[in-house]
């Protein structure tokens, strides 16, 4: 199983970016998917998650600015980030709880991370 992220980059404060993540490989089903971020010198933190049924959860710091969505048919999850602030600067990681074929349990998988830098 592999998670591949795309869409990071450099943006000015107040700007927007859209991150995407595609899961591929031996996949039977996917439970929750989400985005986490880690800034230099800080612990990795939750940004947003979404269940297979579409229920969402956001960190207080991004509520009203970020929107998470997913396409269950394509095994993808996206994060639309608006009104970006310098404090949003971090490496963003995709996460998914995946059950593979012939395996009974779900396993958490992580993408390689994509850099988001908000600076003027």
């Amino acid at each position: 199983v592999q998670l591949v992220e795309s869409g990071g980059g450099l943006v000015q404060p107040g700007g927007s970016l859209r991150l995407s993540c595609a899961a591929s490989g031996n996949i039977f089903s996917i439970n929750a998917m989400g985005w986490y971020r880690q800034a230099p010198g800080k612990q990795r933190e939750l940004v947003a998650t979404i269940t297979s049924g579409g229920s969402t959860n956001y960190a207080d710091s991004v509520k009203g600015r970020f929107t998470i969505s997913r396409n269950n048919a394509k095994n993808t999850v996206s994060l639309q980030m608006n009104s970006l602030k310098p404090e949003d600067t971090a490496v963003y990681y995709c996460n998914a709880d995946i059950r593979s074929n012939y395996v009974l349990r779900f396993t958490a998988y992580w993408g390689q991370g994509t850099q988001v830098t908000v600076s003027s």
Side-chain angles (χ1 to χ4, degrees):
V1 174
Q2 197 173 20
L3 299 183
V4 178
E5 300 132 336
S6 61
L10 173 64
V11 64
Q12 293 186 341
S16 298
L17 278 176
R18 185 176 180 86
L19 305 182
S20 296
C21 173
S24 62
N26 181 7
I27 298 173
F28 177 75
S29 65
I30 302 178
N31 194 2
M33 304 183 81
W35 291 93
Y36 292 72
R37 66 186 182 187
Q38 187 167 19
K42 294 187 176 181
Q43 289 188 330
R44 189 173 299 187
E45 63 177 4
L46 179 147
V47 176
T49 60
I50 184 168
T51 68
S52 57
S55 296
T56 59
N57 179 51
Y58 294 94
D60 288 342
S61 59
V62 307
K63 282 181 181 177
R65 300 188 298 122
F66 291 10
T67 301
I68 189 170
S69 60
R70 67 188 280 176
N71 184 320
N72 291 331
K74 295 183 178 180
N75 293 334
T76 60
V77 62
S78 298
L79 185 69
Q80 178 65 42
M81 305 185 293
N82 298 328
S83 302
L84 283 160
K85 304 175 181 180
E87 50 264 44
D88 294 318
T89 295
V91 177
Y92 283 70
Y93 296 90
C94 174
N95 169 268
D97 290 330
I98 296 174
R99 179 184 168 189
S100 296
N101 289 296
Y102 316 115
V103 176
L104 295 179
R105 61 182 175 84
F106 285 86
T107 300
Y109 289 91
W110 294 88
Q112 80 285 357
T114 185
Q115 178 70 46
V116 171
T117 302
V118 185
S119 175
S120 55

